[in-house]
Amino acid sequence: MASEKAELEGTTPRPGVSDASDSDGIEGLHSSTVNETALLRKLDARLLPAVSVLYLLSFLDRSNVGNARLEGLTTDLDMTGNQYLTGLTLYFIGYVLFEVPCNIVLKRTTPRFWLPTLTLVWGIVATLMGVTQNLSGFFAVRFFLGVAESGLFPGVVFYLSMWYKRKERQYRISLFFSAASLAGAFGGILAYGISKMGGVGGYKGWRWIFILEGLLTIVVSASAYFFITNYPSTTKWLSDDERKFIHSRLKADSDATEDETFRWAEVWLAVKDVKVWLYGLAFHTLSLPLYTLSLFLPTIIKGMGYTAANSQLLTIPPYALATILTIAWAVLSERSGRRAPWIIASSIIAIIGYIILITNDSPTKRPGVSYTGVFFAAAGIYPSVALSLSWPANNVSGQTKRATANAMQISIGNLGAVLGTQLYRPNTAPRYLLGHSFALGYLCLNIVVVGTLWIVLNKENKTKNLHLEQNPNTAGFLNDDVEKHRGDRHPRWMFNV
């Protein structure tokens, strides 16, 4: 049996395939004239740039507030104390509240409609930030920006899971997420240039940052209605042979080809699954350092003694390194077939960065030391986040359950960001011991959570392998009308660890 052979080889059986049913799917694949490698390249070229551009704009529009702060945002809106931090917190409250509802809407509509519509709405909201005249307006815009952006990331993760096999998803999701660090690099360049427009039209430079970047999002969203596609069965740029080939390879691998109707019972299955909560905690322990770094990096660097303009530019190299390592970590993780050890290793790199930042007692006298710590922090945080966010897309079966699990992970995770936005207070500058210490502690907790999830998944895989050894005639995954509804509870569905 396949399970016995896999045990001898130290691997798990191919998920979603039974010995008896595998022949039909494999025969269909072999009889096709479609080149699988060429088809994957075609999918990557058509799907990944489209969704990555949307996420780049999303991260740019949420984090450019840090760049605008250096150009006088808080002064012009008469902010005092921690009012700026409150505005950042409101963004994530809106984000968390609407995460799951947005993914349910995606399941009940289509990606071509929903993803561009979200982009259009947040583009309009982001532009309004540039004409905000008071603190109340700032609070309102930040909250509704969070609401509008909440559905993009979990929606795209679910969307990609309907195109790619399980083993192919993690690398693609990591490539997609690398747009976040790329947005940080672009944000620094754009903010440096746009801030020079101060005085044009009677607007300060920080206002133009929001207006121009928001208008860019609106323009892209209008074209996104044409370049975002739906699912393989209705895509016009695939030939009939390619469409059948995709259907065959996905049917042999996961639930992506099932015409699953929305059921609240599937949502409840995700809520009851302890693994879904662990996926959420894995991101929760990373979201605090992720968002505090992306929102406060310009401020942290300025606290080292650099001018506002130079601080904008100095944010670029750490983000560039983070982008490169996010992709490299994704490749290495995919080749090894492991997630947990690579997340732990990357988190350790980030921990080293925060230890450097905390132990430097004079950032203004030794800015190079703190700047080195920033490099380590960025280099460790972004790869860990990318791998963590791709985990439920690989492991959760049942389309509605997976869509819910993806949204729950982001919602639980972003509660960490809600806390993080209150930590980098002006009175803690320039060392920011409070914020750095929380980030360090959260990264240590991340290692604990990921290690626990590693143990839980291994234990469940061993239980399933034992069941298959004792019941070799267990029906194949998705090849039986009753069995397919068991999703990732099916004995032949092995979890990626």
Side-chain angles (χ1 to χ4, degrees), residues 196-266:
K196 304 300 181 183
M197 293 179 62
V200 176
Y203 283 161
K204 296 288 186 68
W206 68 265
R207 293 188 181 277
W208 283 114
I209 291 174
F210 291 124
I211 292 171
L212 293 183
E213 292 178 4
L215 288 175
L216 174 62
T217 300
I218 293 173
V219 171
V220 173
S221 71
S223 59
Y225 285 102
F226 302 97
F227 66 70
I228 295 292
T229 57
N230 287 325
Y231 301 116
S233 60
T234 59
T235 299
K236 294 181 180 179
W237 46 265
L238 290 173
S239 67
D240 288 340
D241 283 346
E242 289 173 332
R243 199 174 290 110
K244 291 175 182 177
F245 186 87
I246 291 174
H247 181 86
S248 296
R249 67 196 297 272
L250 292 178
K251 185 175 182 180
D253 177 77
S254 68
D255 58 19
T257 61
E258 291 298 310
D259 185 18
E260 181 184 305
T261 57
F262 176 82
R263 294 191 306 141
W264 283 105
E266 292 294 315

Side-chain angles (χ1 to χ4, degrees), residues 262-327:
F262 176 82
R263 294 191 306 141
W264 283 105
E266 292 294 315
V267 175
W268 183 239
L269 280 177
V271 173
K272 292 190 300 181
D273 192 338
V274 67
K275 297 185 294 298
V276 172
W277 291 92
L278 286 172
Y279 296 133
L281 287 174
F283 179 49
H284 177 88
T285 50
L286 290 169
S287 69
L288 185 147
L290 169 69
Y291 285 112
T292 52
L293 189 71
S294 63
L295 291 171
F296 295 103
L297 184 56
T299 303
I300 293 169
I301 293 177
K302 187 181 179 183
M304 299 174 195
Y306 297 103
T307 64
N310 287 337
S311 297
Q312 306 281 25
L313 293 176
L314 287 171
T315 62
I316 299 170
Y319 283 127
L321 176 62
T323 302
I324 294 169
L325 289 183
T326 298
I327 297 172

Side-chain angles (χ1 to χ4, degrees), residues 67-338:
N67 303 106
R69 184 186 191 186
L70 296 189
E71 303 300 332
L73 165 69
T74 55
T75 301
D76 291 347
L77 296 185
D78 297 321
M79 296 186 194
T80 59
N82 297 321
Q83 290 175 333
Y84 170 77
L85 304 184
T86 301
L88 302 186
T89 302
L90 287 171
Y91 168 90
F92 288 102
I93 291 175
Y95 202 106
V96 168
L97 289 176
F98 286 86
E99 200 90 42
V100 175
C102 279
N103 243 26
I104 291 174
V105 173
L106 172 63
K107 184 67 178 70
R108 306 190 78 163
T109 57
T110 64
R112 169 167 274 178
F113 164 76
W114 188 236
L115 299 182
T117 299
L118 288 174
T119 309
L120 175 62
V121 172
W122 93 61
I124 293 172
V125 174
T127 304
L128 292 175
M129 181 74 78
V131 297
T132 299
Q133 299 300 318
N134 52 48
L135 183 63
S136 298
F138 176 70
F139 285 166
V141 171
R142 289 301 295 180
F143 175 80
F144 285 107
L145 182 64
V147 172
E149 289 193 355
S150 64
L152 181 70
F153 191 91
V156 171
V157 170
F158 173 74
Y159 172 64
L160 294 178
S161 74
M162 302 297 286
W163 281 89
Y164 293 99
K165 293 167 66 175
R166 289 180 68 195
K167 67 179 183 180
E168 298 162 350
R169 294 171 190 168
Q170 177 262 320
Y171 175 63
R172 272 77 186 179
I173 293 172
S174 293
L175 284 180
F176 163 64
F177 178 75
S178 67
S181 51
L182 200 58
F186 274 119
I189 297 172
L190 291 174
Y192 176 80
I194 296 174
S195 65
K196 304 300 181 183
M197 293 179 62
V200 176
Y203 283 161
K204 296 288 186 68
W206 68 265
R207 293 188 181 277
W208 283 114
I209 291 174
F210 291 124
I211 292 171
L212 293 183
E213 292 178 4
L215 288 175
L216 174 62
T217 300
I218 293 173
V219 171
V220 173
S221 71
S223 59
Y225 285 102
F226 302 97
F227 66 70
I228 295 292
T229 57
N230 287 325
Y231 301 116
S233 60
T234 59
T235 299
K236 294 181 180 179
W237 46 265
L238 290 173
S239 67
D240 288 340
D241 283 346
E242 289 173 332
R243 199 174 290 110
K244 291 175 182 177
F245 186 87
I246 291 174
H247 181 86
S248 296
R249 67 196 297 272
L250 292 178
K251 185 175 182 180
D253 177 77
S254 68
D255 58 19
T257 61
E258 291 298 310
D259 185 18
E260 181 184 305
T261 57
F262 176 82
R263 294 191 306 141
W264 283 105
E266 292 294 315
V267 175
W268 183 239
L269 280 177
V271 173
K272 292 190 300 181
D273 192 338
V274 67
K275 297 185 294 298
V276 172
W277 291 92
L278 286 172
Y279 296 133
L281 287 174
F283 179 49
H284 177 88
T285 50
L286 290 169
S287 69
L288 185 147
L290 169 69
Y291 285 112
T292 52
L293 189 71
S294 63
L295 291 171
F296 295 103
L297 184 56
T299 303
I300 293 169
I301 293 177
K302 187 181 179 183
M304 299 174 195
Y306 297 103
T307 64
N310 287 337
S311 297
Q312 306 281 25
L313 293 176
L314 287 171
T315 62
I316 299 170
Y319 283 127
L321 176 62
T323 302
I324 294 169
L325 289 183
T326 298
I327 297 172
W329 235 242
V331 172
L332 293 171
S333 174
E334 184 177 79
R335 289 180 179 176
S336 67
R338 300 290 179 186

